[in-house]
Amino acid sequence: DIQMTQSPSSVSASVGDRVTITCRASQGISSWLAWYQQKPGKAPKLLIYAASSLQSGVPSRFSGSGSGTDFTLTISSLQPEDFATYYCQQANSFPTFGQGTRLEIK
Amino acid sequence: EVQLVETGGGLIQPGGSLRLSCAASGFTVSSNYMSWVRQAPGKGLEWVSVIYSGGSTYYADSVKGRFTISRDNSKNTLYLQMNSLRAEDTAVYYCARVGWFRELLWGQGTLVTVSS
């Protein structure tokens, strides 16, 4: 199985801050990577697919980059509704997920 | 509008069986890859199973031999038959449509609690 490692596991930030979350795959996955946002009691919501493609309806302050084994999710200017947990998912083989990054209000 | 609605969760004793349903609208289940993913309380996401448009099925090692994924084309519905349930199967179960780039588009989930 391909292991996905996210960092940090949690981060505190303020509204307006720029935040970057990283995800590393245990082997190369080309651009087969997605990012999700999950709020408490809700299903995950797709933000980014194919490493850098923005899902329809997702604000442009979210962006993704990377290929191979190293990927990043960047939120350019945090909004109050962005405080949530974020997961990466490799799509190169049967899906595996990072352990999640909890984004908290500072 | 694309929508997935899961039902069938509940409280079940260890060793019991449960069948989850996922009713789809806005697209055809049989023309898509469809997956089940679960999330134990307070934990991360774990892929459970997939059914391809051609009918091939695959399972995580943790559920192989106990869970069966299937679909009813006439009802446009995905199923997960869960047998020999264990406490560690307690989770919210999500069905998801697999997109062109193998990204997941999720239903709202249904909670399965395995406890005596």
Side-chain angles (χ1 to χ4, degrees):
Chain A
D1 290 4
I2 299 174
Q3 308 302 316
M4 305 301 292
T5 303
Q6 277 181 245
S7 61
S9 55
S10 66
V11 58
S12 295
S14 301
V15 172
D17 284 354
R18 180 184 180 92
V19 171
T20 297
I21 298 168
T22 66
C23 184
R24 174 164 288 177
S26 60
Q27 64 188 72
I29 57 170
S30 185
S31 296
W32 295 103
L33 187 102
W35 289 98
Y36 302 91
Q37 177 194 67
Q38 187 178 34
K39 296 183 178 179
K42 299 295 186 183
K45 173 188 173 184
L46 176 66
L47 301 174
I48 301 285
Y49 62 93
S52 61
S53 295
L54 191 67
Q55 172 70 356
S56 176
V58 175
S60 59
R61 63 181 179 273
F62 291 91
S63 64
S65 65
S67 67
T69 60
D70 294 311
F71 302 86
T72 60
L73 173 71
T74 299
I75 311 171
S76 61
S77 179
L78 276 172
Q79 298 302 300
E81 60 269 28
D82 299 338
F83 293 95
T85 300
Y86 293 83
Y87 293 93
C88 62
Q89 173 232 327
Q90 66 81 15
N92 186 70
S93 58
F94 298 133
T96 51
F97 298 88
Q99 79 278 16
T101 295
R102 185 173 178 181
L103 177 52
E104 301 173 320
I105 301 173
K106 183 183 285 185
Chain B
E1 181 189 3
V2 171
Q3 194 172 13
L4 294 166
V5 178
E6 300 97 329
T7 55
L11 175 63
I12 188 75
Q13 292 189 337
S17 298
L18 209 56
R19 188 178 80 159
L20 306 182
S21 301
C22 172
S25 56
F27 72 99
T28 302
V29 165
S30 62
S31 298
N32 286 266
Y33 292 8
M34 299 292 297
S35 266
W36 288 96
V37 178
R38 67 184 181 184
Q39 187 172 34
K43 302 298 184 182
L45 300 163
E46 179 189 19
W47 172 76
V48 172
S49 181
V50 65
I51 184 166
Y52 291 164
S53 50
S56 299
T57 59
Y58 299 90
Y59 301 91
D61 288 344
S62 57
V63 306
K64 200 172 295 182
R66 300 188 298 124
F67 290 11
T68 303
I69 191 171
S70 64
R71 66 191 182 207
D72 184 328
N73 297 342
S74 67
K75 296 182 178 179
N76 207 33
T77 297
L78 179 73
Y79 300 101
L80 186 68
Q81 177 67 44
M82 304 186 295
N83 299 331
S84 303
L85 282 161
R86 307 166 180 167
E88 55 264 35
D89 296 318
T90 294
V92 175
Y93 284 74
Y94 297 99
C95 70
R97 176 186 181 187
V98 182
W100 286 108
F101 295 93
R102 306 178 203 162
E103 73 281 13
L104 301 173
L105 299 144
W106 309 67
Q108 89 287 350
T110 187
L111 175 63
V112 173
T113 303
V114 184
S115 175
S116 55

